[in-house]
Amino acid sequence: MTSRWSRYCSSLPCNQQQRPASRTVYVGNKHPHDEEVFIPEIYPDNKIVSSRYTSWNFLPKNLFEQFRRVANFYFLCVGIVQLTIDTPVSPVTSILPLVFVITCTAIKQGYEDWLRHKSDREVNHREVEIIRDGHLTTTKSMHIKVGDIVRVKSNKGFPCDMVMLSSADPEGNCYITTANLDGETNLKTHCCTIDTRRYVHEDDFLKLTAFIECEHPIADLYSFVGNLTIVKDSGEHIVKPLGPENILLRGARLKNTPFIYGCAIYTGQETKMALNSNTKVTKFSRVERRMNTFLLIFLVILLLESVFSTCMKYWYVFRPTVGQPWYVPQIEIDAQVTVRRVFEDFLAYIVLYNYVIPISLYVTIELQKFVGSMFFAWDKDMFDPGTNERAKANTSDLNEELGQVEYLFTDKTGTLTENDMQFRMCSINGKRYEELGGMLCETYPAGNAPNPVPVLSDEMETFLTVLVLCHNVRVDHPNAADLGASTMYSYGGFDYEYQASSPDEKAFIEACRRFGVVFHGTHDDKLEVTFKGEMRRYKLLHSLEFDPTRKRMSVIVQNENDEIYLLCKGAESAILDRVIEGDKSGTLLHVNEYAVLGLRTLVIAMRQLEPEEFTKFDQMLSDARKSLQDREQKLAEAFDFVERDFQLLGATAVEDRLQDNVPETIQALLTAGIKVWVLTGDKEETAINISHSAGHFSCEMNELKITQQQSSLDCAELIRKHSSTLENGVRCGEKFALVIDGASLAYCLIEHADILCDLCLKCSAVLCCRMTPLQKAEVVKLIKNSKTNPVTAAIGDGANDVSMIEEAHVGLGIMGKEGRQAVRNSDYAFAKFHFLMKALLVHGHFYYIRIANLVQYFFYKNVAFITAQLFYTFFSAFSEQTLYESWYLMNFNMVFTAFPILMYGIFEQHLKPSLLMGNPKLYRKISRNENMSIQNFILWNGTGLWHCVVMFFGSLFLLGEECSLFSDGKMIGNWSFGSIVYFGCLVTVCLKLCLHIYYWSLPIWLSFAFSAFSYFVGTAVYNSVLWPEFFSDHNYLLYVWNTVLTSGSVWLLELVLIVLALVPDIVYRAYKDITMTMQLGHQRQMECDSSLIPLRQLSYEETRKFIFPYVTPKSSLQNIHSNQNRPKLIQPKFTGRSQKRKHVL
């Protein structure tokens, strides 16, 4: 309690001090002895709070949140009005439904929050081990303080964010999995500083005096800047830089290491996991926006009806020809017309007509979306047995938006492709090589057979040395002990299992192993590699990690001869400009050839460092890593100093195969009217080739390119030129595809975003290559905010796709091999790209049709129900007399008509899923929010008005001459007339829903049965009991309903009026079904006709051009048309334009 009060007091503006640029954490909470007065900084405790409410603030906070909704606040106001004025209907009719809605929502939210409290309690009370006063003690996780030394055992989670101090591993390493943070299941290696790894017992930490300077908490999981300062007994300060590899985050779990010690630096709500748990920006669907518009329209209608009725009342009463009715009390006749009296009458009409606003609309939609999202996860067709992953809906608010997508932005690697890299080719010193049958073979451009390389040359050894050393791969041995680093050798390396965060690096290491160059891991701070059985050891001096800006990675190693080398790999654009030695033109030619084949390429280079040069760089790097301010910039300067004057060794080419059914999926999306854009970081040639093989680009498209532009002016001129070309070509029926790279896009977005957007919108397909993650989001935003305001969707699998996933209207994540950050930040996720077709064409279609018809039906049935009250005022002298008894008003929306439309919204399937999958064009019929258009809104509510007119005036016509409907001559009165109109209206709106149902499942049947049962049984009980005053202040319906239903004339009247009212609906349903059947039949006929391509005889030259690339050299072209001597066709080499490539091995 004291700590809470002190934190509260310190948070007050009068007590707040200027926050330092960084925080200082004393290891083991040992405060410095050289300071006379030490005031420790107050940090939050390690208690996790994910709940929204407490026991004392649940009621006021929840009510406040619920009444922020317009509909709830409106009905609250109506209830208050009914309690304050002489209301024409009982206040229960508004208050009871409102209480029901508020209670249901509060129970749902309270239960969800109770689960959060339960989860928090489990985490906060988990036992942990900490060192205090040199002794290892056990305490609860919530009691950990910043500076405590925590011991974590194998397979346990880290209770807070810690800087690693030591490990059971003699090398000071530990292995963790971060699946709870980013979804990555592969083990990651973290390490401590060399100076602290000897502290492996609790007594050892009594000798340690150190403090940590680090940045304040930030949400970035992969960024950390800090220094560890160790104070020697002599007073000497030893400063060691700390980076992301030294920090262990809450949510991660220790693996393959008996134990570690760490110092807590971020606790509780300041941990990176907690900072990443903040709710995302709320997205709203088009249906929800249009629904709010409809609510505003009905509010305006309600006000107009109330104003009109109020004016008509006073006009009617004060007409000279009418006079004062005998039944009006004299006090009301003599009363003057005051503003208050007019306002009270106006409010009375508001109460009378307020049922045109459906109070249960929000609750029904929430239930419909919540249950509907479960079907997305339960879909067996979207379950991937290979990864054992099923589809996942992270939100239910955007279900219907899946049926409105107009633009799809997709990543390439891991989304369109498998992200399973296989080494295929390489270029070494200007010579081509490829892997055939596990052997490295030299290839020749003349088409001769590849020649296996029996012995590795010096150039090849050097090339493979870079591949086998320049990486962050970890070696596991299946028979090794607990430690992650293998302590058992495998001569051929085939017993090893390589763990890598990058699929490219794993492909390189496995390819080297097949060529006889085996990486054995790190032992005694040395990288061990065998070349055909000969062991070589390299000391790793520095590892310069890859980053998107440099687009390269380097390591600095020292061989057994004490020679220092920098080994580098990266994009050709990031390395070739820094090369001073080697065959640049030949290597670049091979890189472009590999890119045309759809292969991913990297350039390999190295340089030898002189001791003096390395010493200077080592000092620069050390200073940069110790810096707490502008560390990234200083590191970039140090990297730039050493990564230059390269010797070019060659290039690599790895294949990333397309996922199954990608071309079919993209073609279906294009047919559905969805424009597909590919946004990738790959080079231009590779991206273009993948676009062709994936069906994104077609052979009839003309390619327009905005690439390699050097200025904004050049970009503008090229855009205008392409726009002119496109306009002329479109008139001739031509299609165009646009290719733009990241560098040119940067110029275009600054000053020419509008004309670029116009050009892109007119193209059939757009490919953006060499893109940064931020540029992907900018492209999505460009189209999202264009003139047409289309619905956009973005799909990706990696952390670099998160920005565009969050920017798009609908974010889609692929459960791939680059972690789960995309899945965590997406709205919907699944394992394979081709599941997207089912997600959009089937689930999206169903979601949209269900919710659109549900919203329209809610407004329709209220118009059909309550408009009769407006008609009735003309026949009641505008006397504010209600037509319906309070029982009817209260239960119409909440009970009698609630469940059928809810079941419709959950289970309806107006077309078979197979039909939607086979006819993507059907998706176009619901685009641009078609079913929620103003035309459909008028059609639905016009139908409701027609049904009300038939029910009200039809009943009035029968009873207008004061005729008796009973054999004993009894007459019917106001409540009998209202009951007749009510029953006809209730049956009509239910049958209207039946005409929209195409899939009669058991829940739908049961919902209609419940409605009928609740109406007949509930009304029979209500009108058969003389209720006490505390329950009802009147008994207007006492035996009225029972008496009315004994008349055969009433039943005949209801039958005739219901049939008459539904005739237009029946005709429209028949017309719609016939039209749909004819359209589907015509479409199938068109597809059959298009599959029959007319053939013509080819000339000799045409035949020669067609078949020459596929005939063997021994075949004779003169015998092409001979049936007896056909040329022998051979399998072509892979070109990258085929979904499933076959390789000649």
Side-chain angles (χ1 to χ4, degrees):
M1 185 68 182
T2 305
S3 61
R4 286 187 179 181
W5 175 254
S6 60
R7 285 201 305 272
Y8 170 74
C9 292
S10 63
S11 65
L12 295 176
C14 58
N15 293 327
Q16 286 184 352
Q17 300 178 357
Q18 185 176 2
R19 191 183 193 188
S22 61
R23 67 166 53 182
T24 301
V25 177
Y26 294 92
V27 177
N29 287 311
K30 291 182 181 179
H31 303 145
H33 301 292
D34 54 351
E35 297 185 15
E36 296 182 358
V37 178
F38 175 74
I39 302 177
E41 187 173 348
I42 299 176
Y43 299 108
D45 55 28
N46 200 40
K47 188 175 182 180
I48 289 296
V49 180
S50 62
S51 56
R52 298 171 57 188
Y53 309 106
T54 63
S55 57
W56 61 269
N57 73 358
F58 172 75
L59 191 60
K61 187 175 180 180
N62 184 264
L63 290 176
F64 173 76
E65 291 175 350
Q66 291 203 56
F67 284 117
R68 290 172 63 183
R69 283 185 167 179
V70 175
N72 291 344
F73 183 73
Y74 163 76
F75 279 100
L76 175 65
C77 295
V78 171
I80 294 174
V81 167
Q82 287 182 280
L83 292 173
T84 55
I85 67 171
D86 185 14
T87 175
V89 295
S90 172
V92 176
T93 60
S94 295
I95 295 176
L96 190 60
L98 178 62
V99 170
F100 176 77
V101 170
I102 296 297
T103 303
C104 289
T105 305
I107 292 174
K108 170 180 171 291
Q109 295 178 351
Y111 175 72
E112 292 174 349
D113 205 59
W114 177 79
L115 294 178
R116 296 189 194 101
H117 275 282
K118 183 179 179 181
S119 176
D120 292 345
R121 194 178 306 111
E122 180 184 353
V123 173
N124 293 328
H125 288 252
R126 190 172 296 161
E127 291 187 347
V128 295
E129 294 179 323
I130 63 175
I131 296 178
R132 286 183 179 167
D133 300 326
H135 299 288
L136 192 65
T137 61
T138 301
T139 185
K140 295 179 180 179
S141 173
M142 60 190 291
H143 295 152
I144 294 177
K145 299 179 180 179
V146 171
D148 283 343
I149 299 176
V150 184
R151 186 172 82 162
V152 180
K153 295 181 179 179
S154 180
N155 297 320
K156 297 292 185 180
F158 301 112
C160 57
D161 291 353
M162 305 185 297
V163 168
M164 183 176 170
L165 298 177
S166 62
S167 167
D169 183 9
E171 304 292 336
N173 296 326
C174 75
Y175 305 97
I176 68 172
T177 175
T178 57
N180 290 338
L181 291 172
D182 55 16
E184 295 187 20
T185 56
N186 59 295
L187 296 181
K188 298 178 179 178
T189 305
H190 284 242
C191 61
C192 61
T193 61
I194 297 177
D195 300 79
T196 61
R197 67 185 182 185
R198 60 190 176 90
Y199 300 99
V200 293
H201 300 286
E202 52 265 30
D203 297 338
D204 296 338
F205 288 97
L206 291 173
K207 308 171 187 176
L208 176 63
T209 302
F211 60 89
I212 299 170
E213 294 177 291
C214 59
E215 59 188 355
H216 290 292
I218 59 174
D220 190 351
L221 296 174
Y222 307 100
S223 173
F224 178 74
V225 177
N227 289 328
L228 173 64
T229 303
I230 301 173
V231 182
K232 295 292 187 179
D233 295 336
S234 61
E236 180 187 0
H237 287 56
I238 300 176
V239 180
K240 293 293 182 181
L242 299 175
E245 70 278 2
N246 305 119
I247 188 172
L248 305 172
L249 301 180
R250 180 174 197 153
R253 187 174 293 273
L254 184 65
K255 291 287 187 180
N256 294 351
T257 307
F259 65 86
I260 64 97
Y261 286 97
C263 177
I265 55 171
Y266 305 134
T267 54
Q269 300 302 114
E270 290 187 344
T271 60
K272 290 180 179 287
M273 184 179 185
L275 295 177
N276 278 275
S277 300
N278 294 336
T279 56
K280 298 181 294 185
V281 177
T282 304
K283 298 180 180 180
F284 298 95
S285 67
R286 285 192 171 186
V287 170
E288 191 169 354
R289 293 191 183 97
R290 188 61 59 85
M291 180 184 72
N292 292 334
T293 302
F294 291 164
L295 281 173
L296 292 177
I297 291 175
F298 274 105
L299 282 174
V300 172
I301 292 175
L302 173 63
L303 294 176
L304 293 177
E305 288 179 346
S306 302
V307 170
F308 171 77
S309 299
T310 303
C311 296
M312 291 299 297
K313 173 182 179 178
Y314 288 98
W315 171 82
Y316 184 86
V317 169
F318 291 102
R319 282 190 310 167
T321 57
V322 174
Q324 301 298 337
W326 62 268
Y327 50 81
V328 176
Q330 186 66 29
I331 187 173
E332 290 196 14
I333 298 176
D334 298 336
Q336 295 181 354
V337 179
T338 63
V339 174
R340 177 179 178 179
R341 182 178 180 184
V342 173
F343 184 67
E344 287 182 352
D345 289 332
F346 171 75
L347 293 180
Y349 282 113
I350 288 283
V351 171
L352 208 57
Y353 300 144
N354 84 88
Y355 303 96
V356 74
I357 307 295
I359 187 174
S360 59
L361 176 60
Y362 281 115
V363 175
T364 305
I365 288 178
E366 282 189 2
L367 290 174
Q368 186 266 346
K369 288 187 175 184
F370 176 73
V371 178
S373 63
M374 295 181 180
F375 288 101
F376 190 85
W378 293 340
D379 192 340
K380 294 181 179 179
D381 294 336
M382 298 177 68
F383 172 76
D384 180 41
T387 59
N388 196 31
E389 297 279 4
R390 62 175 67 252
K392 180 182 180 182
N394 293 327
T395 180
S396 60
D397 295 334
L398 302 174
N399 290 348
E400 61 275 13
E401 207 77 338
L402 290 172
Q404 296 294 294
V405 176
E406 298 172 68
Y407 283 85
L408 175 69
F409 300 90
T410 175
D411 178 41
K412 183 188 76 68
T413 304
T415 304
L416 299 179
T417 62
E418 293 281 5
N419 201 16
D420 182 14
M421 308 301 178
Q422 296 295 329
F423 182 89
R424 294 303 180 197
M425 296 180 176
C426 64
S427 170
I428 304 176
N429 197 25
K431 295 182 180 180
R432 295 185 182 91
Y433 297 88
E434 65 177 311
E435 182 184 3
L436 298 176
M439 298 180 62
L440 193 61
C441 302
E442 185 176 358
T443 57
Y444 305 96
N448 297 328
N451 183 26
V453 178
V455 180
L456 298 178
S457 64
D458 293 341
E459 295 172 345
M460 299 174 66
E461 276 197 11
T462 304
F463 180 85
L464 296 178
T465 300
V466 177
L467 293 185
V468 83
L469 294 177
C470 188
H471 57 72
N472 288 319
V473 176
R474 186 174 63 84
V475 181
D476 277 347
H477 195 292
N479 298 323
D482 306 92
L483 298 181
S486 171
T487 57
M488 301 179 62
Y489 282 99
S490 171
Y491 179 80
F494 292 100
D495 291 334
Y496 293 147
E497 181 179 350
Y498 293 115
Q499 300 286 347
S501 57
S502 169
D504 299 80
E505 292 183 347
K506 185 177 181 181
F508 292 150
I509 295 295
E510 292 177 343
C512 290
R513 180 175 58 182
R514 293 191 293 270
F515 304 151
V517 181
V518 183
F519 176 64
H520 296 277
T522 304
H523 298 73
D524 299 327
D525 294 331
K526 298 291 182 66
L527 303 174
E528 296 186 346
V529 182
T530 54
F531 290 78
K532 300 295 185 180
E534 178 188 352
M535 175 64 70
R536 300 179 187 176
R537 292 178 173 86
Y538 301 84
K539 183 178 181 179
L540 179 63
L541 301 178
H542 290 294
S543 177
L544 314 184
E545 299 293 339
F546 174 87
D547 64 68
T549 304
R550 288 165 45 240
K551 297 182 181 179
R552 57 183 178 268
M553 174 198 176
S554 302
V555 295
I556 300 178
V557 297
Q558 185 178 26
N559 63 14
E560 295 171 324
N561 298 325
D562 293 333
E563 296 172 335
I564 301 176
Y565 290 92
L566 182 141
L567 314 179
C568 183
K569 65 181 180 184
E572 78 283 353
S573 60
I575 293 182
L576 291 182
D577 292 341
R578 297 171 176 262
V579 168
I580 61 172
E581 181 183 352
D583 188 0
K584 290 177 59 175
S585 59
T587 302
L588 183 59
L589 176 63
H590 294 166
V591 167
N592 291 333
E593 290 177 355
Y594 297 152
V596 170
L597 296 176
L599 303 177
R600 291 166 57 92
T601 60
L602 287 176
V603 171
I604 309 299
M606 64 172 289
R607 66 170 298 204
Q608 184 174 0
L609 300 178
E610 296 298 330
E612 299 79 10
E613 188 178 11
F614 171 74
T615 302
K616 182 178 179 180
F617 166 73
D618 185 61
Q619 185 62 43
M620 291 179 61
L621 186 62
S622 177
D623 294 341
R625 285 178 171 171
K626 292 177 183 178
S627 174
L628 296 181
Q629 304 295 328
D630 302 325
R631 176 181 288 191
E632 298 297 331
Q633 180 180 351
K634 294 178 181 178
L635 285 175
E637 293 174 357
F639 294 162
D640 186 69
F641 169 77
V642 74
E643 290 179 331
R644 55 185 174 84
D645 301 338
F646 286 128
Q647 175 190 350
L648 182 61
L649 300 180
T652 61
V654 296
E655 181 187 19
D656 189 9
R657 189 176 69 87
L658 278 179
Q659 293 186 21
D660 295 335
N661 303 318
V662 167
E664 292 83 355
T665 302
I666 291 182
Q667 188 57 46
L669 297 179
L670 295 175
T671 305
I674 301 173
K675 289 190 176 182
V676 180
W677 290 30
V678 175
L679 313 181
T680 178
D682 280 348
K683 66 193 309 288
E684 178 184 338
E685 294 80 3
T686 303
I688 291 176
N689 187 269
I690 292 297
S691 286
H692 278 286
S693 59
H696 179 227
F697 284 2
S698 59
C699 55
E700 66 268 14
M701 289 183 182
N702 299 317
E703 292 183 10
L704 306 175
K705 293 186 178 182
I706 306 177
T707 57
Q708 301 179 0
Q709 299 303 302
Q710 302 299 324
S711 68
S712 176
L713 186 61
D714 294 339
C715 290
E717 183 179 351
L718 192 56
I719 292 174
R720 294 187 181 94
K721 178 182 176 182
H722 288 334
S723 298
S724 177
T725 303
L726 189 143
E727 290 178 2
N728 296 331
V730 168
R731 297 191 190 101
C732 303
E734 298 181 8
K735 293 183 179 180
F736 291 87
L738 178 65
V739 180
I740 184 170
D741 62 11
S744 303
L745 180 67
Y747 290 117
C748 296
L749 292 178
I750 296 175
E751 299 179 2
H752 315 294
D754 293 338
I755 58 176
L756 175 65
C757 182
D758 293 338
L759 175 64
C760 293
L761 293 176
K762 295 176 183 177
C763 292
S764 301
V766 176
L767 169 64
C768 301
C769 55
R770 290 300 190 197
M771 300 281 287
T772 64
L774 184 59
Q775 284 181 323
K776 291 183 178 182
E778 289 175 345
V779 170
V780 175
K781 186 177 182 179
L782 179 69
I783 302 303
K784 177 182 174 182
N785 298 330
S786 61
K787 297 177 181 178
T788 56
N789 293 319
V791 176
T792 59
I795 182 170
D797 73 313
N800 60 332
D801 303 317
V802 170
S803 55
M804 74 169 181
I805 287 174
E806 293 181 339
E807 181 65 40
H809 291 100
V810 183
L812 305 169
I814 295 291
M815 301 169 182
K817 301 178 181 179
E818 293 188 12
R820 297 300 174 86
Q821 292 187 70
V823 174
R824 289 173 58 245
N825 290 275
S826 65
D827 302 307
Y828 303 90
F830 33 82
K832 297 295 182 182
F833 181 80
H834 68 86
F835 292 158
L836 179 63
M837 186 160 61
K838 183 73 178 289
L840 298 184
L841 302 186
V842 178
H843 287 287
H845 200 114
F846 285 158
Y847 285 146
Y848 177 74
I849 291 295
R850 292 166 182 167
I851 193 68
N853 287 346
L854 183 148
V855 172
Q856 297 279 28
Y857 179 79
F858 256 93
F859 290 115
Y860 146 79
K861 68 186 179 70
N862 280 25
V863 168
F865 165 61
I866 204 63
T867 308
Q869 181 66 61
L870 177 64
F871 296 154
Y872 186 67
T873 57
F874 287 88
F875 298 90
S876 63
F878 299 97
S879 61
E880 302 169 7
Q881 170 63 41
T882 177
L883 173 64
Y884 302 123
E885 209 270 345
S886 298
W887 168 263
Y888 294 143
L889 292 171
M890 183 174 58
N891 290 287
F892 181 80
N893 279 313
M894 298 301 301
V895 181
F896 299 153
T897 63
F899 288 96
I901 185 59
L902 176 60
M903 294 301 105
Y904 170 89
I906 295 174
F907 295 102
E908 170 62 5
Q909 297 181 17
H910 63 295
L911 293 172
K912 292 183 178 180
S914 58
L915 188 62
L916 293 174
M917 291 282 285
N919 297 270
K921 288 185 177 180
L922 294 174
Y923 191 85
R924 299 188 179 192
K925 292 181 175 295
I926 61 172
S927 62
R928 304 297 298 178
N929 209 7
E930 177 62 30
N931 285 32
M932 291 286 287
S933 63
I934 296 298
Q935 293 84 351
N936 275 290
F937 176 73
I938 295 174
L939 178 63
W940 273 91
N941 292 283
T943 304
L945 187 61
W946 160 253
H947 292 170
C948 182
V949 167
V950 171
M951 287 300 143
F952 181 84
F953 290 101
S955 302
L956 187 66
F957 175 77
L958 176 64
L959 307 174
E961 299 298 329
E962 298 184 357
C963 60
S964 175
L965 302 179
F966 305 95
S967 57
D968 57 0
K970 288 187 297 186
M971 305 296 292
I972 67 171
N974 177 72
W975 303 115
S976 300
F977 177 70
S979 298
I980 294 173
V981 175
Y982 184 88
F983 179 69
C985 176
L986 178 62
V987 175
T988 301
V989 297
C990 288
L991 292 180
K992 165 72 172 176
L993 180 60
C994 292
L995 291 175
H996 284 268
I997 296 176
Y998 287 84
Y999 184 73
W1000 285 89
S1001 59
L1002 179 61
I1004 293 180
W1005 282 108
L1006 293 178
S1007 66
F1008 280 103
F1010 174 81
S1011 292
F1013 177 82
S1014 61
Y1015 171 72
F1016 284 105
V1017 175
T1019 308
V1021 171
Y1022 179 78
N1023 93 119
S1024 301
V1025 177
L1026 185 62
W1027 298 101
E1029 290 187 4
F1030 73 87
F1031 185 84
S1032 176
D1033 59 352
H1034 57 74
N1035 286 274
Y1036 297 145
L1037 273 188
L1038 186 62
Y1039 291 109
V1040 170
W1041 184 78
N1042 295 345
T1043 304
V1044 168
L1045 293 185
T1046 59
S1047 172
S1049 301
V1050 172
W1051 286 101
L1052 179 62
L1053 169 69
E1054 300 286 12
L1055 178 63
V1056 172
L1057 294 182
I1058 291 171
V1059 172
L1060 178 62
L1062 291 175
V1063 165
D1065 299 275
I1066 297 172
V1067 173
Y1068 179 72
R1069 164 72 185 262
Y1071 168 77
K1072 187 170 66 172
D1073 291 350
I1074 294 173
T1075 304
M1076 177 61 70
T1077 303
M1078 294 177 62
Q1079 288 178 351
L1080 293 177
H1082 178 68
Q1083 182 176 341
R1084 283 194 291 267
Q1085 183 64 37
M1086 292 282 290
E1087 292 174 354
C1088 294
D1089 294 342
S1090 62
S1091 64
L1092 301 176
I1093 303 175
L1095 303 178
R1096 64 181 178 85
Q1097 185 175 2
L1098 300 178
S1099 65
Y1100 173 82
E1101 287 297 323
E1102 289 173 329
T1103 305
R1104 182 177 181 276
K1105 291 179 180 179
F1106 175 78
I1107 205 169
F1108 180 72
Y1110 303 99
V1111 298
T1112 60
K1114 297 181 180 180
S1115 301
S1116 176
L1117 291 177
Q1118 285 79 1
N1119 297 326
I1120 285 177
H1121 300 287
S1122 172
N1123 292 328
Q1124 297 178 353
N1125 188 13
R1126 294 183 181 272
K1128 182 180 179 181
L1129 298 179
I1130 66 172
Q1131 194 66 257
K1133 293 185 179 181
F1134 68 97
T1135 63
R1137 296 178 183 265
S1138 172
Q1139 178 198 358
K1140 295 183 178 180
R1141 308 182 182 95
K1142 296 183 179 180
H1143 307 280
V1144 183
L1145 301 181

